[in-house]
């Protein structure tokens, strides 16, 4: 079941909801475009299914429409900004534009962004950087109900804490590595739950700390009012990366870390620690360009393993998905669509969605 919606129509409908929730037309367009781009890229977890949560966060006061990133520190190649709980899609772009300009001026920039509401797909910010010829590295933490268990732990203690790296490639689309440090993004569990699917073993533990394939354990309270938790990828290695994201994205940026009992707030606050480098200023441009392409070609010449058609590079699946979904539309399950319609009603658009 469900429906397939044209990307342009979906942007228009999401724009209307965000606008009705209090945003300026410019802000609503940025948020709507970013969310639909996530769906087009194959990451429905970070797409329009977030709209109901955003509306709830605005109504509870944790998300502040029309807020701008505030510069707290401007010291050469160092920038520190406060997102002031504005839409992450907006304050994140504002912060990245400042950091990109500074990196092109000085050769590098270290940027700390605190108190941004949900930034969405971090790969978007890496794509902004590589489009200007810069290398980008991002460490992000998540202040919301803790949904990921530490390695060896039996309940959620931190968020999905994404890491992202973007690397420009001469004459080719860029390398964009963007992943949650949990085995899978929390939003993908929401999508699976809404679609009535179970998930692979090894992703989840239930509210008692035992393995489960039911995504509902991290989406809705269980019989005892408790939640289960996601597992980190790569056992202790992914756990270590998640902690690094919390310490750099949260503690170092001034955005804060999670160390309190869970609550029911719908607000999602991100801190992002970003490093940008202009490879042309390192004196290695020629070797960087040639060696990067030579290595990727070496990878692509590997014979495909059973079940694969060829070796892919990070960023390629998203670009393939965009081409396909722009042509064929974006599929949205009935539960998610119903939640979006309900969110529209909360901001007075009872008859706007069909």
């Amino acid at each position: 079941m469900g429906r397939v919606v044209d990307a342009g129509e979906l942007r228009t409908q999401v724009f209307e909801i965000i606008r009705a929730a209090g945003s300026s037309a410019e802000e609503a367009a940025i948020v709507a475009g970013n969310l639909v781009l996530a769906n087009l890229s194959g990451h429905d977890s970070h797409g329009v299914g977030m709209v109901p949560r955003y509306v709830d966060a605005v109504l509870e006061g944790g998300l502040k429409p029309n807020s701008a990133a505030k510069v707290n520190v401007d010291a050469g190649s160092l920038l520190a900004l406060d997102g002031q709980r504005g839409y992450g899609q907006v304050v994140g772009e504002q912060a990245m534009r400042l950091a990109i300009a500074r990196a092109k001026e000085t050769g590098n920039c270290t940027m700390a962004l605190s108190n941004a509401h949900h930034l969405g797909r971090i790969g978007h910010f890496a794509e902004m950087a590589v489009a200007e010829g810069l290398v980008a590295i991002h460490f992000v933490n998540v202040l919301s109900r803790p949904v990921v268990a530490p390695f060896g732990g039996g309940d959620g203690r931190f968020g999905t804490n994404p890491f992202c790296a973007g690397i420009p490639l001469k004459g080719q689309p860029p390398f964009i590595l963007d992943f949650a440090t949990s085995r899978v993004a929390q939003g993908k569990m929401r999508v699976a739950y809404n679609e009535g699917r179970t998930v692979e073993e090894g992703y989840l533990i239930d509210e008692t700390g035992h393995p489960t394939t039911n995504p509902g354990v991290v989406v809705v309270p269980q019989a005892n009012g408790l939640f289960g938790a996601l597992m980190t990828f790569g056992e202790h290695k992914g756990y270590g990366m998640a902690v690094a994201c919390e310490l750099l994205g949260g503690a170092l940026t001034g955005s804060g870390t999670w160390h309190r009992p869970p609550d029911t707030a719908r607000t999602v606050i991100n801190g992002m620690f970003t490093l940008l480098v202009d490879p042309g200023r390192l004196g290695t441009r020629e070797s960087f360009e040639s060696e990067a392409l030579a290595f990727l070609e070496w990878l692509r010449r590997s014979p495909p393993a059973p079940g694969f058609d060829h070796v892919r590079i990070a960023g390629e699946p998203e670009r393939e998905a965009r081409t396909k979904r722009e042509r064929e539309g974006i599929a949205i399950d009935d539960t998610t669509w119903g939640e979006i319609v309900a969110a529209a009603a909360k901001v007075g658009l009872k008859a706007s969605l069909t």
Side-chain angles (χ1 to χ4, degrees):
M1 298 295 290
R3 66 188 63 212
V4 177
V5 186
D6 173 76
E9 176 62 21
L10 197 55
R11 287 188 198 96
T12 298
Q13 294 187 336
V14 172
F15 167 86
E16 291 177 354
I17 297 173
I18 301 301
R19 184 83 172 90
S23 290
S24 68
E26 180 183 8
E27 178 170 274
I30 292 171
V31 174
N34 185 285
L35 292 176
V36 173
L37 180 60
N39 286 107
L40 287 171
S41 302
H43 295 290
D44 296 318
S45 57
H46 291 68
V48 299
M50 291 300 300
V51 168
R53 184 153 194 174
Y54 290 179
V55 168
D56 287 346
V58 170
L59 294 177
E60 74 182 16
L63 168 54
K64 309 291 186 181
N66 306 311
S67 295
K70 175 186 176 184
V71 178
N72 286 335
V73 173
D74 183 344
S77 61
L78 291 172
L79 290 173
L81 300 101
D82 186 334
Q84 303 191 100
R85 296 198 168 216
Y87 276 100
Q89 292 84 354
V90 175
V91 298
E93 286 192 2
Q94 291 171 348
M96 283 300 298
R97 283 195 292 269
L98 289 173
I100 288 168
R102 189 58 50 85
K104 294 179 73 172
E105 176 186 340
T106 67
N108 70 96
C109 181
T110 299
M111 185 266 286
L113 173 63
S114 65
N115 299 316
H117 196 266
H118 188 242
L119 287 164
R121 190 178 65 89
I122 307 304
H124 173 67
F125 304 117
E127 288 167 350
M128 290 179 65
V130 297
E132 298 294 334
L134 303 174
V135 171
I137 300 173
H138 308 268
F139 296 85
V140 181
N141 84 318
V142 183
L143 296 185
S144 180
R145 178 174 60 82
V147 295
V148 185
F151 182 65
D155 68 352
R157 293 281 154 164
F158 48 85
T160 51
N161 290 12
F163 169 82
C164 180
I167 302 172
L169 301 170
K170 184 179 181 181
Q172 293 189 18
F175 174 93
I176 303 290
L177 177 65
D178 180 13
F179 60 85
T181 48
S182 52
R183 281 287 305 272
V184 65
Q186 163 73 0
K188 293 186 186 299
M189 296 297 94
R190 170 179 49 79
V191 172
Y193 175 73
N194 286 349
E195 293 178 348
R197 294 187 284 109
T198 57
V199 299
E200 296 180 36
E201 294 181 357
Y203 283 6
L204 297 162
I205 55 175
D206 65 19
E207 70 278 12
T208 67
H210 292 87
T212 181
T213 60
N214 171 25
V217 300
V218 293
V219 180
V220 296
Q222 300 306 290
N224 55 9
L226 299 176
F227 286 87
L230 293 160
M231 307 295 288
T232 57
F233 82 91
E235 299 180 327
H236 63 285
K237 297 178 182 179
Y239 167 49
M241 178 67 84
V243 173
C245 287
E246 192 77 17
L247 297 177
L248 295 175
L252 186 59
T253 64
S255 199
T257 63
W258 189 279
H259 43 80
R260 64 181 188 270
D263 55 42
T264 59
R266 299 284 279 168
T267 301
V268 182
I269 299 300
N270 289 146
M272 181 168 69
F273 181 67
T274 296
L275 302 172
L276 300 180
V277 176
D278 181 352
R281 304 285 282 274
L282 288 175
T284 61
R285 178 187 292 277
E286 290 187 7
S287 62
F288 167 66
E289 293 176 345
S290 63
E291 287 295 320
L293 296 181
F295 177 65
L296 295 185
E297 178 60 27
W298 168 253
L299 294 178
R300 292 184 174 115
R301 290 204 303 266
S302 177
F308 293 84
D309 55 357
H310 67 280
V311 172
R312 286 173 170 78
I313 305 302
E316 289 181 8
E318 288 81 1
R319 291 188 286 270
E320 292 171 0
R322 287 176 196 174
T323 299
K324 184 174 187 293
R325 291 187 173 193
E326 281 279 15
R327 181 179 65 250
E328 300 178 2
I330 295 168
I332 302 177
D333 66 89
D334 287 334
T335 300
T336 298
W337 190 256
E339 292 172 348
I340 294 172
V341 171
K346 291 179 181 179
V347 291
L349 298 176
K350 294 183 179 180
S352 65
L353 301 182
T354 58

